[in-house]
Amino acid sequence: MNDKDIIELFRKRDEQAITELKLKYGRLCFHIAANILSQREDIEECLNSVYYDIWNRIPPDEPNDLRTYLCRIVKNKAIDKLKYNSASKRNSKLSVSIDELAECIPDTRQQDIPTQKLAELITRFLRMQDEKHRKIFVRRYWYGDDLSKIAEYFQMNEKTVATNLFRTRKKLKDFLKKEGFEYE
């Protein structure tokens, strides 16, 4: 079933929408949540929360890209669950990738920066990168994959992946500076 048909089922309040969504994107959602959360019960709870949330959001939301819309919700729910589970503890895998990005992306909470504009600039920057660099960046900072998993996926050395990510972050920081976003 295509995304438009699934969205239409949501609009009609047909419970089959959840079933179709799970069939089409269940494994992807599980992968994203599992990269952030370690306990299977937490992952399942997160995904159930995601499906409930989407049921309540569509309508009125009308996502243009259901996959991206769903992935964003899964990632945010998983991060919320992680924060809840480890209020004072830190998950080193996730915090490392967030800390890496913090080096090149200004904190919109600390400065008067429109988040939407920053997101658009990052998207534009990524579209300017070659496909391999873009995919490596997205696997690390969107899906939360660790370096060894990325290296295996792209049949590369782990250090090569780390160097690639470092250079891409540096280019992103320079790009954002040229666009008027100062950091530091």
Side-chain angles (χ1 to χ4, degrees):
M1 182 171 271
N2 70 38
D3 290 356
K4 288 182 182 183
D5 293 336
I6 294 172
I7 292 170
E8 188 58 34
L9 289 174
F10 275 108
R11 277 196 212 108
K12 292 178 181 177
R13 308 312 290 161
D14 185 338
E15 292 180 17
Q16 186 65 26
I18 298 292
T19 304
E20 295 297 331
L21 189 69
K22 285 180 182 179
L23 282 172
K24 187 165 185 179
Y25 294 116
R27 290 181 63 189
L28 174 64
C29 293
F30 188 90
H31 175 79
I32 293 168
N35 277 336
I36 297 170
L37 303 167
S38 56
Q39 301 293 321
R40 184 168 188 84
E41 297 82 15
D42 289 340
I43 296 166
E44 290 172 0
E45 182 181 335
C46 171
L47 294 180
N48 286 333
S49 178
V50 166
Y51 298 133
Y52 178 77
D53 198 26
I54 286 186
W55 179 261
N56 290 325
R57 287 183 182 202
I58 303 176
D61 287 2
E62 303 232 358
N64 292 329
D65 182 348
L66 183 61
R67 182 176 192 248
T68 302
Y69 180 81
L70 177 62
C71 289
R72 181 177 44 86
I73 292 172
V74 170
K75 183 176 181 179
N76 290 339
K77 288 284 185 188
I79 289 171
D80 289 347
K81 181 68 177 166
L82 177 67
K83 287 177 185 175
Y84 175 81
N85 287 349
S86 58
S88 62
K89 301 180 228 167
R90 291 181 58 139
N91 177 304
S92 60
K93 181 175 85 168
L94 183 62
S95 64
V96 166
S97 68
I98 291 172
D99 289 345
E100 289 171 1
L101 271 183
E103 298 171 3
C104 62
I105 297 177
D107 186 350
T108 58
R109 296 170 300 174
Q110 303 293 328
Q111 302 171 25
D112 187 25
I113 298 173
T115 307
Q116 184 65 32
K117 182 178 181 196
L118 183 59
E120 289 169 5
L121 287 172
I122 292 170
T123 299
R124 190 171 59 168
F125 167 78
L126 288 173
R127 286 188 178 140
M128 293 173 10
Q129 304 307 303
D130 67 58
E131 183 179 5
K132 188 173 187 178
H133 288 95
R134 181 175 57 248
K135 285 182 175 181
I136 290 170
F137 190 90
V138 169
R139 292 209 69 89
R140 177 70 172 160
Y141 302 115
W142 181 256
Y143 294 115
D145 287 351
D146 58 28
L147 296 177
S148 61
K149 187 180 262 186
I150 297 169
E152 180 182 325
Y153 183 83
F154 288 99
Q155 300 176 347
M156 299 169 68
N157 180 312
E158 212 172 305
K159 288 187 180 216
T160 305
V161 171
T163 302
N164 176 299
L165 288 166
F166 174 79
R167 289 177 179 159
T168 304
R169 286 192 315 270
K170 185 175 180 333
K171 286 181 198 175
L172 175 59
K173 186 174 182 177
D174 293 342
F175 175 80
L176 291 175
K177 278 184 180 180
K178 287 178 186 172
E179 294 295 327
F181 286 97
E182 286 298 322
Y183 179 73
E184 281 144 358

